[in-house]
């Protein structure tokens, strides 16, 4: 019995030691960025040494889990600790940027660029119809709102899709659906079909995005779009 108890105790101790070893590695897997006047250093935990951008005067930076994003007056660089690579887009003077686990986004006044960690490249938009006023990013999609347009990145087509002549009041972006609305109508970009869906004359006030469903709330109705059936359903609020 005593031997059994000792064996159990050793097993528990081994489990505790294993946890203590594993969790620091998981925690340390998050990217760490160090910026000074002319240098950017990223601590890559797997390499055990920093990856360095020399002669780089950063105008701004972001970090999120696996990726670091930095920009200067003429370029944007992203570093992914999963691939141990710096990748950049040149001739781009970013105002700011955003990150999710698999996407990086940066924007100018009238252009936006997105980096896909899966594809390991940047995709630049055309000139937007009007100045960019808002930005959103999810695990799979990115979007910007403009004064009179809604622009969404389609990660399958690897292009930016634009709905113009639409004065955006508010917007939300999920992993499969992106939604914007004005005082009267709502537009949805459906990633399952790579198409814009429009619902007119409902005076939307708010919306909730689920993985494959959008619920749009007006004063007295709830309008639900189902991306699996591609149909609308209306019900009293």
């Amino acid at each position: 019995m005593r031997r059994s108890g000792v064996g159990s105790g050793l097993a528990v101790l081994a489990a505790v030691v294993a946890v203590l070893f594993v969790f620091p590695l998981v925690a340390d897997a998050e990217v760490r960025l160090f910026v000074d006047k002319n240098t950017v250093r990223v601590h890559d935990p797997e390499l055990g040494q920093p990856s360095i951008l020399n002669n780089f005067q950063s105008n701004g930076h972001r970090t999120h889990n696996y990726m670091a994003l930095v920009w200067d007056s003429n370029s944007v660089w992203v570093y992914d600790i999963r691939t141990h690579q710096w990748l950049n887009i040149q001739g781009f003077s970013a105002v700011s940027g955003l990150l999710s686990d698999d996407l990086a986004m940066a924007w100018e006044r009238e252009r936006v660029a997105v980096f896909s960690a899966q594809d390991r490249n940047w995709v630049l938009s055309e000139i937007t119809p009007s100045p960019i006023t808002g930005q959103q990013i999810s695990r799979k999609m990115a979007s910007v709102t403009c004064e009179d347009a809604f622009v969404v990145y389609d990660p399958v087509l690897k292009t930016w899709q634009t709905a113009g002549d639409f004065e955006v009041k508010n917007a939300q972006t999920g992993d499969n659906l992106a939604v914007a609305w004005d005082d009267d109508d709502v537009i949805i970009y459906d990633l399952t079909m790579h198409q814009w869906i429009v619902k007119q004359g409902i005076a939307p006030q708010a919306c909730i995005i689920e993985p494959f469903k959008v619920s749009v709330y007006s004063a007295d109705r709830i309008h639900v779009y189902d991306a699996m059936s591609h149909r609308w359903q209306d019900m009293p609020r």
Side-chain angles (χ1 to χ4, degrees):
M1 294 296 292
R2 288 182 179 177
R3 290 183 179 178
S4 177
V6 170
S8 299
L10 290 175
V12 171
L13 179 61
V16 170
V17 171
V19 169
L20 290 175
F21 274 102
V22 170
F23 277 95
L25 290 174
V26 173
D28 198 39
E30 185 170 345
V31 67
R32 288 185 287 168
L33 182 70
F34 306 90
V35 179
D36 60 29
K37 185 176 180 180
N38 294 299
T39 307
V40 175
R41 292 180 294 124
V42 171
H43 172 68
D44 190 319
E46 189 172 324
L47 296 180
Q49 62 184 18
S51 183
I52 302 173
L53 277 182
N54 288 313
N55 301 316
F56 187 88
Q57 296 181 343
S58 172
N59 288 342
H61 61 271
R62 294 281 187 272
T63 61
H64 178 80
N65 290 348
Y66 312 108
M67 293 197 289
L69 181 71
V70 294
W71 58 91
D72 64 7
S73 59
N74 193 53
S75 63
V76 184
W77 292 75
V78 64
Y79 187 86
D80 190 337
I81 62 175
R82 294 165 294 191
T83 59
H84 319 294
Q85 287 183 311
W86 283 104
L87 292 168
N88 72 89
I89 182 169
Q90 296 286 338
F92 194 88
S93 182
V95 174
S96 192
L98 290 173
L99 289 167
S100 65
D101 283 350
D102 296 311
L103 295 178
M105 179 172 69
W107 60 91
E108 299 176 323
R109 186 172 182 268
E110 293 183 331
R111 286 194 306 174
V112 58
V114 67
F115 171 83
S116 167
Q118 181 178 355
D119 300 326
R120 300 186 190 182
N121 69 338
W122 286 90
V123 178
L124 179 64
S125 74
E126 301 291 337
I127 299 295
T128 56
S130 55
I132 293 170
T133 57
Q135 311 83 24
Q136 296 182 342
I137 197 167
S138 69
R139 291 178 300 175
K140 292 168 59 178
M141 301 178 74
S143 70
V144 294
T145 56
C146 305
E147 292 177 358
D148 59 359
F150 187 40
V151 185
V152 176
Y153 174 67
D154 186 317
V156 179
L157 300 180
K158 299 176 177 55
T159 58
W160 289 92
Q161 304 291 321
T162 301
D165 298 322
F166 189 83
E167 295 183 7
V168 179
K169 183 178 180 181
N170 211 332
Q172 292 187 30
T173 300
D175 288 339
N176 302 293
L177 299 160
V179 186
W181 62 95
D182 62 11
D183 290 332
D184 299 313
D185 310 324
V186 62
I187 55 173
I188 299 172
Y189 189 80
D190 186 341
L191 190 59
T192 69
M193 296 194 301
H194 314 290
Q195 292 182 7
W196 291 102
I197 309 298
V198 181
K199 185 77 167 177
Q200 296 179 317
I202 63 173
Q205 298 179 343
C207 90
I208 296 175
I209 296 183
E210 299 177 50
F212 291 95
K213 183 169 70 175
V214 175
S215 299
V216 182
Y217 294 81
S218 61
D220 57 355
R221 306 286 295 178
I222 303 174
H223 310 270
V224 180
Y225 175 75
D226 186 339
M228 302 305 292
S229 65
H230 311 299
R231 294 181 178 179
W232 285 94
Q233 180 183 5
D234 295 349
M235 63 193 75
R237 185 168 179 175

